Amino acid sequence: MSRSLRRGALAATAIVFSIAALSACAAGNDAQTLGVKPDNAAVTVDDVKIQNALVITQPHQGVKGPAVVSATVFNNGSAPQTLDAITLPGTSATVKLTPAAGSTGPITIPALGSVVIGGAGNATATIENGTEAARKGDAQEVVFKLSKTGDVGLQAFVVPAASYFKEFGPSVVPAPPGSSPTASAPAEGEHGGEGEHGTDASAEATTAGH
């Protein structure tokens, strides 16, 4: 291979690596590190950014049970803020906020930090009368009320607690209509007069009679 061809090949390789590096940098925290889906609802107001907002309902159609609001709330300000309430305008639904496991008091978003709402161990926002949430596939207006920024609203997609969203859905999932509980196997030693233990007992009784 001539020197000119070698130089051309090296230059092309360098360009490929540069593009790959730039692509990785462009993804940043929003895509890879935080696992954010770019097609989900997001909004920024002053120092607050709310990202990946969803209303997650029961996994089965027609089942009455709680729903939840799931989102990540970022605080880019120099002072902490509290999440005082979440409302769903246009519905009579009420949302109960609970801090992360091991925490007490209001949900606090630290300065230059974030809070995940939804999922095991995280803060939760439970829509107690979940049937008041919009139908699956629709968009529901959700308003986050923060202590300093005030009301921050956006349109959140409504999805069932299935597939990727199962881990972030309601913790209480009633059985769908018409389903019956699976019969449990009898515990060891509860076979009655039949089976291995029953046969042994009968044999012993017969032997004793003879």
Side-chain angles (χ1 to χ4, degrees):
M1 181 182 292
S2 67
R3 291 183 179 179
S4 59
L5 288 177
R6 284 199 296 270
R7 285 197 298 269
L10 290 173
T13 304
I15 291 173
V16 169
F17 279 114
S18 297
I19 293 174
L22 289 173
S23 299
C25 293
N29 291 338
D30 288 347
Q32 293 181 350
T33 306
L34 299 176
V36 168
K37 291 179 176 292
D39 57 339
N40 285 344
V43 64
T44 300
V45 176
D46 297 333
D47 293 328
V48 171
K49 180 178 182 179
I50 298 173
Q51 195 164 266
N52 214 32
L54 295 165
V55 173
I56 306 178
T57 63
Q58 292 290 319
H60 304 290
Q61 189 73 29
V63 174
K64 292 184 178 181
V68 298
V69 175
S70 178
T72 304
V73 183
F74 297 87
N75 177 12
N76 295 319
S78 58
Q81 294 202 49
T82 58
L83 178 60
D84 296 332
I86 295 179
T87 60
L88 279 63
T91 75
S92 61
T94 57
V95 181
K96 179 183 178 181
L97 300 180
T98 305
S103 301
T104 58
I107 298 173
T108 301
I109 304 95
L112 302 176
S114 63
V115 165
V116 175
I117 301 174
N122 297 324
T124 58
T126 304
I127 307 171
E128 296 177 326
N129 43 338
T131 52
E132 290 294 327
R135 295 181 180 179
K136 299 175 181 64
D138 289 348
Q140 169 65 51
E141 184 180 2
V142 180
V143 176
F144 296 74
K145 185 177 181 63
L146 292 112
S147 56
K148 297 183 182 298
T149 304
D151 291 353
V152 179
L154 74 170
Q155 294 288 327
F157 293 121
V158 181
V159 297
S163 184
Y164 175 84
F165 308 108
K166 183 178 180 180
E167 296 180 1
F168 299 91
S171 58
V172 178
V173 181
S179 63
S180 58
T182 303
S184 58
E188 184 177 356
E190 295 181 358
H191 296 284
E194 299 179 357
E196 181 181 352
H197 298 293
T199 302
D200 292 343
S202 299
E204 290 173 4
T206 303
T207 302
H210 289 298

